[in-house]
Amino acid sequence: MKTNIVSTATGKANAYALFFVKKSIQFSNILSEEAEKQVESVLNGMNDGPFEDLEFLEIDNQPTIFVDAAKERGLSSLDHLRMAAYRLAKKASKRQIPVVSIMLADAAPEQFKSILLGLHYADYKFDAYKSKQKEAFQVTFEIVAGEQVAEFKKIAEVAAIENKAIVLTKNLINTSASDLTPAEFVENANTIAKFTPGLSIKVRNMKQLEKEGFMGHVTVGKGSSHEPYMITLSYDGSKSSKKAAKNARTSADHLVFVGKGLTFDTGGLCLKPPKSMPEMISDMSGAATVLAAIQAIATLELPIKVSAVCCLAENAIGNKSVLPGDIFTAKNGKTVMVDNTDAEGRLVLSDGLAEAGLIGATHIVDLATLTGAMVRALGYAVAGFFCNDDALALNVINCGEACCEKFWSMPLEEEYADALKDHFADLKNTGSDAGAIAAALFLQEFVPENTAWAHWDIAGTAFVSKSWKYTDFGATGFGVQTLIELARRMSSASDESEDAANEDADGEYATVEV
Ligand code: BES
Ligand code: ZN
Ligand code: ZN
C-alpha cells in the first residue's frame, strides 16, 4: 500500500472512494452539482438499508466506491472508519485497482489517522512459515486533503511510525516459540536499540539475575534450556527530544512499562491441556508490546522519560523445573510459594515491578497475558485493567478510547487478598476463585511504594483465534497505540502544568482562591 497526499485530485485515479459516516465526512466541494445529487440519493438509500457496502457506481463518469463506515455493532465512529478503510483496501487490492482516490477534504485529523491505520492494517500479513509467499496487489491511495495537506502529511508520518510498532508487535507474537526464544527476543531488542536514536538497553542474563536477586525469572526460567533474560530499555525524552530541548523543560514523570515475556508457557509441571497450549506462543505479548511502544515513542521524540522492562523466560518442563511447593525470595524480600507452576507470569513480573522501582518509576503500566479468567470475563474485545491511582485509570480509559482499544476497570478487591497468604511463605502464587483479581492483588504486593500503577490483563485481547475487526487469526497488536497515546498525553500534560506554573510565577494571572 502506498499513500499520496494531495490537495486536489490528480486525475490519475482508477476509482474514487467516498466515506459515509453519518455524513461527518462531506465531499460536496469535489463533485459536480449533478453528481452531488446522485450521491445524495445513494446516501439516502444507504439509510434505508438495501445498499451494498463497497458498491461501485458511476459518479461524474468515474467508478466510485461508497464506503459505508457505520456497519459494525459496538464500535466507536473512529473504529468504524478504520474498519471501513480496511475493507476498502482489501477490496481494492482484490480487484487490482492501481490508484484509488479517497476524498477526505473535510475529515478531522483523528478521522484521517483512523482511516490511514485501517489501510495499514489491511497490508499486514504473516506468511513467514508458508512455503509460497503470495504478493498482494499494491494499491496506491491518493488522499485528497484540500487545504489540510501539510497537516495530513505530518499525521501520516506519525501513523506510519505507530503502524511499524504494531507490525513489530504482531510479528514477534506470531513467531513460533522455538524461533523466538528469550535470547532471540534479546537479539531483536538489541537491534532495535541500536537503530533507534535515544534508546538505550541493559540486558541481564541468568547469572546476573540470580546475583541481583531477581528470583522470579530464575524460578520460572530454570526448567528450560533457554535461559531467562530481563531487558530494560530507556529513553529520556526530556533530554534527547528536539521539542524538549527547545522548550528546555523536564517533566518529573518517569513512565515505566513492564511486559510479561513468556516466549512459551507449557504450564510447567502443572502442565496445560494440549488444546490451550499452541496459543501460548503469544504469552510474550506484553513484552513485545512494550518493546514496540518504546521504539515508537523514541522515534516520535515525545518529551517524556519512558522505560520498558521485558521479563523474558520460557516456562518449560525439565529436570531443573520449579516444583509445586517450592519457595523463593523475590527481589523486594517477600517469600513466595509456587502453588501452581502455570501461574508463572506474576513471578517474572514481580522482578519487572522491582526493576521499575529501582530505575525511579513514577508511573508503571504492566501488560501481561496473565489469566484465563480474564478471557472468560471480558473476551477478546475488551482488556480488563487494575489501577491504584484514579488519574492514571481515567487516562488509560481515555487514551484507549482515542485509539479504538477498549479497557474495563476491574477492582483490586481487598476481601480476596487473604487468599494469597501461605502457610510457610509470605505469599503463594494462586488465590481466590476470582482469578484475574487474585493475579492483580499478587502483583500489587510488588509495586514500589508511592507509585501510580496500572496492570493490563491482555490475555483475551492480544491474540485472536478467529478474525476480529481488522485482524486475521493471530496477534492483534492490542495496547501498542494506547501506550504511545499515554506517553503523548502525559508529556503534553506536564507541558501544560508547567505552562500554568510559569504563568503563575510571572504573575500574569491572578490566583483565584476557591
Ligand atoms: N499464560 C496464561 C494465561 C493465558 C490464558 C493467556 C489464556 C492467554 C490465554 C497464564 O500463565 C496462566 O496459565 N494462568 C493460569 C493461572 C492459574 C494457574 C492460577 C490460568 O489463568 O489458568
Ligand atoms: Zn501459565
Ligand atoms: Zn503464562
Side-chain angles (χ1 to χ4, degrees), residues 207-236:
K207 212 169 137 199
Q208 289 153 330
L209 288 164
E210 193 160 12
K211 192 169 157 220
E212 293 181 46
F214 291 106
M215 296 308 287
H217 279 68
V218 174
T219 303
V220 174
K222 66 185 180 176
S224 168
S225 57
H226 303 291
E227 68 171 319
Y229 290 91
M230 186 164 71
I231 302 176
T232 306
L233 292 135
S234 306
Y235 158 73
D236 192 349

Side-chain angles (χ1 to χ4, degrees), residues 1-211:
M1 187 267 289
K2 277 195 200 135
T3 53
N4 184 19
I5 300 168
V6 293
S7 57
T8 48
T10 60
K12 287 183 197 146
N14 309 88
Y16 287 83
L18 302 181
F19 278 74
F20 172 58
V21 194
K22 294 186 185 123
K23 298 197 182 173
S24 61
I25 294 184
Q26 305 287 333
F27 18 77
S28 49
N29 51 351
I30 46 152
L31 298 173
S32 70
E33 227 172 278
E34 182 56 31
E36 217 183 307
K37 279 191 204 129
Q38 228 180 322
V39 169
E40 193 72 27
S41 84
V42 175
L43 295 186
N44 288 339
M46 280 165 102
N47 280 336
D48 296 339
F51 186 81
E52 256 290 296
D53 179 42
L54 293 174
E55 193 144 304
F56 280 80
L57 295 177
E58 287 280 326
I59 304 273
D60 272 351
N61 301 319
Q62 289 287 353
T64 304
I65 314 167
F66 278 80
V67 189
D68 184 357
K71 270 183 83 117
E72 285 77 13
R73 216 170 156 174
L75 302 195
S76 67
S77 73
L78 278 183
D79 219 6
H80 274 136
L81 273 180
R82 215 184 264 194
M83 270 299 324
Y86 172 83
R87 288 198 306 268
L88 168 68
K90 287 284 186 201
K91 184 98 163 194
S93 173
K94 200 164 165 207
R95 288 206 178 196
Q96 310 210 333
I97 308 172
V99 184
V100 177
S101 193
I102 306 183
M103 305 302 169
L104 283 183
D106 297 316
E110 64 273 18
Q111 290 179 318
F112 172 56
K113 189 174 174 192
S114 221
I115 288 171
L116 263 185
L117 283 168
L119 300 178
H120 279 302
Y121 271 104
D123 243 10
Y124 182 79
K125 62 176 180 344
F126 186 75
D127 59 3
Y129 293 107
K130 293 283 185 198
S131 58
K132 287 195 184 81
Q133 275 80 24
K134 276 190 227 141
E135 273 307 310
F137 183 82
Q138 285 298 313
V139 180
T140 299
F141 289 96
E142 175 183 280
I143 314 277
V144 182
E147 286 166 6
Q148 290 156 286
V149 174
E151 184 188 10
F152 278 18
K153 280 190 173 164
K154 275 196 197 123
I155 294 171
E157 274 173 35
V158 172
I161 291 168
E162 292 188 12
N163 179 60
K164 199 174 154 203
I166 295 165
V167 168
L168 168 67
T169 307
K170 288 181 174 181
N171 285 347
L172 288 171
I173 296 172
N174 288 335
T175 302
S176 57
S178 294
D179 293 334
L180 192 83
T181 59
E184 270 299 323
F185 192 108
V186 170
E187 279 285 297
N188 277 278
N190 272 328
T191 309
I192 285 165
K194 192 170 155 197
F195 292 106
T196 311
L199 194 59
S200 63
I201 185 166
K202 176 175 178 171
V203 180
R204 290 179 175 95
N205 63 16
M206 177 71 137
K207 212 169 137 199
Q208 289 153 330
L209 288 164
E210 193 160 12
K211 192 169 157 220

Side-chain angles (χ1 to χ4, degrees), residues 20 40 103 126 222 253 260 278 386 433 456 489 513:
F20 172 58
E40 193 72 27
M103 305 302 169
F126 186 75
K222 66 185 180 176
D253 288 341
K260 171 176 171 180
F386 300 80
D433 288 342
W456 302 358
R489 291 198 187 182
E513 282 187 28

Side-chain angles (χ1 to χ4, degrees), residues 116-433:
L116 263 185
L117 283 168
L119 300 178
H120 279 302
Y121 271 104
D123 243 10
Y124 182 79
K125 62 176 180 344
F126 186 75
D127 59 3
Y129 293 107
K130 293 283 185 198
S131 58
K132 287 195 184 81
Q133 275 80 24
K134 276 190 227 141
E135 273 307 310
F137 183 82
Q138 285 298 313
V139 180
T140 299
F141 289 96
E142 175 183 280
I143 314 277
V144 182
E147 286 166 6
Q148 290 156 286
V149 174
E151 184 188 10
F152 278 18
K153 280 190 173 164
K154 275 196 197 123
I155 294 171
E157 274 173 35
V158 172
I161 291 168
E162 292 188 12
N163 179 60
K164 199 174 154 203
I166 295 165
V167 168
L168 168 67
T169 307
K170 288 181 174 181
N171 285 347
L172 288 171
I173 296 172
N174 288 335
T175 302
S176 57
S178 294
D179 293 334
L180 192 83
T181 59
E184 270 299 323
F185 192 108
V186 170
E187 279 285 297
N188 277 278
N190 272 328
T191 309
I192 285 165
K194 192 170 155 197
F195 292 106
T196 311
L199 194 59
S200 63
I201 185 166
K202 176 175 178 171
V203 180
R204 290 179 175 95
N205 63 16
M206 177 71 137
K207 212 169 137 199
Q208 289 153 330
L209 288 164
E210 193 160 12
K211 192 169 157 220
E212 293 181 46
F214 291 106
M215 296 308 287
H217 279 68
V218 174
T219 303
V220 174
K222 66 185 180 176
S224 168
S225 57
H226 303 291
E227 68 171 319
Y229 290 91
M230 186 164 71
I231 302 176
T232 306
L233 292 135
S234 306
Y235 158 73
D236 192 349
S238 61
K239 284 190 191 132
S240 63
S241 111
K242 281 182 209 139
K243 186 178 169 212
K246 203 174 76 206
N247 295 344
R249 281 186 176 149
T250 323
S251 156
D253 288 341
H254 182 184
L255 176 61
V256 180
F257 305 144
V258 178
K260 171 176 171 180
L262 266 293
T263 56
F264 198 71
D265 179 13
T266 65
L269 290 172
C270 306
L271 191 63
K272 281 187 181 298
K275 218 174 148 247
S276 52
M277 225 192 275
E279 193 182 321
M280 289 304 123
I281 61 164
S282 67
D283 215 21
M284 32 58 73
S285 295
T289 311
V290 303
L291 169 65
I294 198 170
Q295 181 202 23
I297 289 164
T299 309
L300 292 165
E301 298 187 49
L302 298 183
I304 182 171
K305 190 170 179 179
V306 180
S307 299
V309 184
C310 301
C311 305
L312 302 164
E314 187 187 73
N315 190 18
I317 295 179
N319 54 9
K320 289 188 188 150
S321 288
V322 61
L323 306 174
D326 280 0
I327 293 171
F328 72 96
T329 304
K331 179 67 179 167
N332 72 349
K334 292 186 182 176
T335 57
V336 179
M337 189 272 281
V338 181
D339 191 34
N340 191 318
T341 62
D342 197 12
E344 82 300 331
R346 62 200 79 180
L347 306 184
V348 294
L349 288 172
S350 75
D351 292 338
L353 293 167
E355 168 71 352
L358 289 172
I359 60 176
T362 57
H363 298 72
I364 301 176
V365 179
D366 81 64
L367 276 75
T369 45
L370 205 61
T371 65
M374 186 54 86
V375 187
R376 287 189 290 279
L378 299 181
Y380 52 83
V382 187
F385 79 102
F386 300 80
C387 194
N388 67 357
D389 180 274
D390 288 347
L392 178 59
L394 195 65
N395 220 348
V396 169
I397 299 259
N398 290 338
C399 289
E401 221 168 83
C403 300
C404 307
E405 294 182 334
K406 293 178 183 170
F407 288 86
W408 190 259
S409 169
M410 305 284 288
L412 286 160
E413 182 48 65
E414 284 286 316
E415 278 199 52
Y416 303 145
D418 280 347
L420 290 170
K421 286 186 178 156
D422 183 48
H423 295 287
F424 295 147
D426 300 335
L427 295 164
K428 60 177 159 56
N429 72 338
T430 57
S432 71
D433 288 342

